[in-house]
Amino acid sequence: MAKISVALGPVQETLLIPLLGRVGQTQNGNGLIHDEKAVQIVESLDYDCSNRTSSKNDDND
């Protein structure tokens, strides 16, 4: 599947955060939310979401 190119402004990036939270919970396996559509949406974006995701252990390094 071809990636969808997006150009996000500050507001759009802020609105992406809850979607990434849903993806994180879904991929966690035992999360409270299971949203495969959110995973599909994020995987289809040609956007580097890595600066918006972190793990709980990042502060312990």
Side-chain angles (χ1 to χ4, degrees), residues 21-38:
R22 296 181 75 87
V23 170
Q25 286 290 300
T26 300
Q27 292 176 337
N28 187 16
N30 62 349
L32 297 174
I33 298 172
H34 185 76
D35 189 348
E36 288 297 327
K37 190 62 173 179

Side-chain angles (χ1 to χ4, degrees), residues 34-48:
H34 185 76
D35 189 348
E36 288 297 327
K37 190 62 173 179
V39 174
Q40 290 174 355
I41 291 169
V42 171
E43 288 178 349
S44 71
L45 298 177
D46 184 18
Y47 183 77
D48 182 16

Side-chain angles (χ1 to χ4, degrees), residues 44-57:
S44 71
L45 298 177
D46 184 18
Y47 183 77
D48 182 16
C49 297
S50 64
N51 63 345
R52 297 284 175 213
T53 59
S54 65
S55 73
K56 294 178 184 178
N57 295 328

Side-chain angles (χ1 to χ4, degrees), residues 8 20 24 31 34 52 60-61:
L8 302 181
L20 295 174
H34 185 76
R52 297 284 175 213
N60 295 335
D61 291 341

